Amino acid sequence: MTDLVKQWIREDIRSLAAYHVPDPGDMIKLDAMENPYLWPESMKQQWLSQLADIPVNRYPDPSAATLTSRIEQVMNVPEGMSTILGNGSDELIQIICMALSKQDAKSDSVVMAPEPTFVMYQMIARFTNMVYQGIPLDQDFQLDMPAMIKAIETHWPAVIFLAYPNNPTGNLFSEQDIRSIIEMAPGLVVVDEAYHAFAGHSFMPMLSEYDNLLVMRTVSKMGLAGLRLGMLSGRPEWINEFDKVRLPYNINVLTQFSAEFALQHDDILQQQTAQICADRTILKDALSGMDSVTQYPSAANFILFKVDNMSSEAIFSALKQSGILIKRLADTSGPLANCLRVTVGSAEENQAFIESLGKILS
Ligand SMILES: *Cc1c(COP(=O)(O)O)cnc(C)c1O
């Protein structure tokens, strides 16, 4: 059996560890940037009654036309641009890489991203036989422009992924730096705005200024993580090519209906986002009050922090003991050494986290 697997499964796949998602049990879940809120009861009832009439015996609309136009409207996609939907933005990263990957060994196609960043860029680059180049961020987690420029000239990347705000650092890169990168990049630049709802800054309005810019978003961090829906907007010439690689029914009927329904009630999602932003400020202030805690600026719904005289491992475990799950980034060496990442939850959840952390540090 092992020999068979060895014979046929690629070596680089066999050597990978599968993406690990811890089982939260009934812990307070502040590890995955989820929105802590459900919908108001009346909205839930309305959704349920309409859901009953969904024709689950039929294939979904292959191009999800109704949902796509709703999304373009809600997300302010500029006139003349097109949008493709994915089963989460993870699938869109995969679609981009599949379309750019070259089989010809002499012309490896390169995926580039600053690091630390979202790990799926690197993983999907590997799965699709692309070459990944990660370029370290500077000490303030900003783009190291001399290093980026040199790497772009050396590696001639087919695509550069820039998470804006960045995960797991939480900050926005300088807009001017991103513009410079778009202008000098030989290929595509994908600005990944998974956290746009919390950021107040976006490259969406800049789409028409650049031929090689794409903007990617997701509804996951806006309160709809369970639906799995991401979107990629840009010039139709690019989007039409990506559409050829997309599996025809990638957005199922339940997701198409539910996302459309939720976006009709965008005001509810926006209220929840505003609440999370207000609670982020409270959480930041509470962390600033703790002497041994260093936190980093965040334009997202999470905060990266570390504690001077205690290991992230010890803090992570002690929090877990008190029923709170956050994310430990301890395995990473370099700038993230000893860092932890906490998602902004409900006011009560944040309070429980602050109280437990306070006790652990006292
Ligand atoms: C969470 C996250 C995603 C993944 O989004 P899905 O739509 O849930 O697949 C993409 N990019 C970044 C930077 C993220 O943090």
Side-chain angles (χ1 to χ4, degrees):
M1 183 62 209
T2 323
D3 285 347
L4 260 184
V5 172
K6 250 186 160 163
Q7 183 184 351
W8 293 105
I9 301 288
R10 273 159 47 189
E11 204 284 325
D12 59 324
I13 302 289
R14 278 186 283 123
S15 67
L16 284 173
Y19 190 79
H20 175 66
V21 180
D23 176 9
D26 54 5
M27 279 191 280
I28 294 180
K29 200 170 176 312
L30 301 177
D31 65 325
M33 282 78 89
E34 290 148 328
N35 171 328
Y37 304 110
L38 285 164
W39 299 338
E41 198 51 37
S42 62
M43 184 173 156
K44 229 189 264 180
Q45 288 308 325
Q46 199 189 339
W47 171 61
L48 265 181
S49 68
Q50 294 183 25
L51 210 48
D53 296 325
I54 299 274
V56 288
N57 57 324
R58 303 290 178 196
Y59 281 108
D61 171 359
S63 60
T66 315
L67 177 57
T68 305
S69 60
R70 168 76 60 187
I71 281 173
E72 290 186 323
Q73 180 200 333
V74 172
M75 303 273 177
N76 296 311
V77 176
E79 201 66 36
M81 297 296 143
S82 294
T83 301
I84 180 177
L85 304 185
N87 188 345
S89 41
D90 288 350
E91 190 192 32
L92 292 166
I93 301 169
Q94 187 187 44
I95 287 175
I96 294 167
C97 289
M98 282 194 293
L100 295 174
S101 174
K102 298 219 165 85
Q103 288 306 313
D104 172 7
K106 274 178 293 188
S107 60
D108 278 334
S109 11
V110 169
V111 174
M112 187 175 287
E115 287 202 326
T117 193
F118 188 50
V119 293
M120 293 312 288
Y121 308 143
Q122 174 168 17
M123 297 196 54
I124 291 170
R126 283 211 207 180
F127 302 156
T128 55
N129 278 315
M130 296 187 78
V131 173
Y132 178 79
Q133 296 287 345
I135 313 301
L137 291 168
D138 73 12
Q139 292 203 332
D140 300 321
F141 296 141
Q142 282 295 323
L143 294 164
D144 180 343
M145 286 306 280
M148 287 298 289
I149 291 166
K150 186 155 174 251
I152 291 170
E153 284 168 351
T154 310
H155 301 292
W156 216 237
V159 58
I160 302 171
F161 286 101
L162 299 172
Y164 184 80
N166 190 33
N167 172 15
T169 59
N171 61 311
L172 289 163
F173 301 137
S174 134
E175 181 186 320
Q176 191 46 57
D177 287 351
I178 296 183
R179 282 183 180 273
S180 303
I181 286 175
I182 298 169
E183 281 158 25
M184 75 171 300
L188 282 165
V189 176
V190 177
V191 175
D192 178 353
E193 299 188 346
Y195 301 95
H196 74 98
F198 314 98
H201 291 271
S202 171
F203 273 74
M204 193 66 92
M206 278 78 123
L207 273 181
S208 25
E209 289 179 47
Y210 301 106
D211 281 350
N212 61 335
L213 171 64
L214 298 171
V215 173
M216 187 165 69
R217 290 187 177 178
T218 173
V219 298
S220 294
K221 317 294 162 43
M222 290 164 53
L224 305 171
L227 294 184
R228 305 305 298 132
L229 180 67
M231 57 231 46
L232 179 72
S233 298
R235 305 237 178 225
E237 290 87 341
W238 292 115
I239 302 298
N240 292 343
E241 298 302 322
F242 295 137
D243 207 40
K244 298 176 189 171
V245 181
R246 181 181 63 83
L247 297 176
Y249 305 111
N250 64 331
I251 314 297
N252 71 70
V253 281
L254 299 180
T255 295
Q256 287 193 31
F257 169 75
S258 303
E260 162 77 4
F261 177 86
L263 293 175
Q264 279 167 14
H265 299 80
D266 190 37
D267 54 323
I268 304 284
L269 299 182
Q270 284 187 26
Q271 277 172 28
Q272 296 178 346
T273 300
Q275 184 65 51
I276 291 168
C277 289
D279 289 330
R280 175 179 65 193
T281 306
I282 297 172
L283 192 55
K284 278 180 184 174
D285 290 348
L287 287 173
S288 327
M290 297 179 174
D291 286 341
S292 51
V293 172
T294 306
Q295 64 174 311
Y296 298 88
S298 170
N301 64 339
F302 60 86
I303 296 175
L304 183 75
F305 70 99
K306 62 183 169 191
V307 176
D308 290 344
N309 41 24
M310 232 176 133
S311 77
S312 57
E313 176 68 45
I315 292 176
F316 175 81
S317 307
L319 282 170
K320 214 168 154 186
Q321 284 291 316
S322 54
I324 298 167
L325 185 64
I326 66 170
K327 174 87 174 175
R328 175 182 38 147
L329 301 158
D331 296 347
T332 353
S333 59
L336 286 188
N338 218 30
C339 279
L340 297 143
R341 186 188 67 197
V342 62
T343 303
V344 182
S346 67
E348 299 74 40
E349 290 172 332
N350 302 336
Q351 188 57 33
F353 162 73
I354 286 295
E355 274 171 22
S356 295
L357 184 62
K359 276 187 203 141
I360 293 163
L361 300 183
S362 65

